[in-house]
Amino acid sequence: MTEVIGVKYEENDLLSYVLPDQAYEKNDLVVVPLRKGNRLAQVVQANQDLDDKVLPAQVDRVLGPARQQDLERYRANQIFAQDNMTAVKDMIANRNLKMKLVSIAFPLDRSRVFISFTAEHRVDFRQLLKDLAGYFRARIELRQINTRDEAKIFGGLGPCGRPLCCSSFLGDFPPVSIKMVKNQGLS
């Protein structure tokens, strides 16, 4: 048995387990050092003991509770990302790439830039990557996501009138089989 806490890095993100350095309550904010930079996370499950079989082989450790400067840096990063959305969209348009920008995110130290986009086909973004690296002066990570992930980020209402399942309670997306499509009468 290992003592862990459950955290989410973003509101619509999956639950991750990390090793705590002290006792945390639900809704506390913590800083977790990941391979790609320190991230701010919200505690969604307080300290609990879990069987080692349930946990992944590598579990990250909490650096500590979030300080005021971490919160300010996180908010500044969000504002910086919003301010640069149009510049990145312009770079995509200048390169005539058929891709839609979904989000821009930064770790707390802004050493990297995480850019998510959707596209129907594979996109050759090597030149765009050079443009972005020159613009942000940081390491760039472009990630193509599918439309279900995009709907999870933006949310919305389903045909039933309720919030989309993928943005409210579904953690990860099971594959859709042909049998499921036929059962729902979709083509």
Side-chain angles (χ1 to χ4, degrees):
M1 299 293 272
T2 304
E3 184 182 18
V4 295
I5 56 173
V7 298
K8 285 190 176 188
Y9 297 102
E10 297 291 331
E11 185 178 317
N12 295 327
D13 209 3
L14 295 175
L15 175 74
S16 300
Y17 291 109
V18 294
L19 301 172
D21 62 337
Q22 64 185 38
Y24 290 103
E25 297 295 323
K26 188 174 179 180
N27 295 327
D28 285 349
L29 295 173
V30 295
V31 176
V32 181
L34 302 174
R35 289 188 328 255
K36 298 176 181 179
N38 293 349
R39 300 273 311 268
L40 189 71
Q42 182 178 15
V43 177
V44 292
Q45 291 180 352
N47 297 50
Q48 60 182 324
D49 289 328
L50 281 181
D51 191 11
D52 293 333
K53 296 175 188 173
V54 178
L55 297 173
Q58 179 103 8
V59 181
D60 296 311
R61 182 175 296 281
V62 171
L63 192 61
R67 300 179 313 237
Q68 187 62 33
Q69 70 187 52
D70 295 325
L71 297 174
E72 290 169 3
R73 195 174 300 145
Y74 177 75
R75 287 187 196 105
N77 286 345
Q78 285 184 316
I79 293 168
F80 185 68
Q82 286 301 319
D83 292 345
N84 288 294
M85 286 288 267
T86 54
V88 174
K89 286 179 183 178
D90 290 343
M91 287 181 210
I92 291 170
N94 290 342
R95 294 285 177 192
N96 295 323
L97 297 173
K98 297 194 183 305
M99 59 192 278
K100 178 183 168 190
L101 179 65
V102 174
S103 69
I104 301 174
F106 300 94
L108 290 177
D109 60 0
R110 269 196 213 168
S111 60
R112 293 175 184 251
V113 182
F114 305 109
I115 299 175
S116 300
F117 68 93
T118 58
E120 289 189 25
H121 303 289
R122 245 180 113 83
V123 178
D124 183 16
F125 50 73
R126 289 178 287 193
Q127 292 301 319
L128 175 66
L129 196 59
K130 291 177 185 175
D131 295 345
L132 291 169
Y135 181 77
F136 285 111
R137 303 234 183 271
R139 191 173 185 137
I140 308 295
E141 186 173 310
L142 286 166
R143 187 177 68 161
Q144 184 171 353
I145 61 174
N146 61 32
T147 52
R148 290 169 86 185
D149 289 322
E150 182 184 13
K152 181 177 184 174
I153 291 169
F154 290 122
L157 297 176
C160 61
R162 298 177 68 193
L164 292 172
C165 300
C166 60
S167 64
S168 56
F169 69 88
L170 275 181
D172 50 350
F173 303 121
V176 177
S177 68
I178 297 297
K179 183 178 180 181
M180 295 165 99
V181 172
K182 286 181 182 177
N183 285 342
Q184 292 185 9
L186 303 172
S187 59

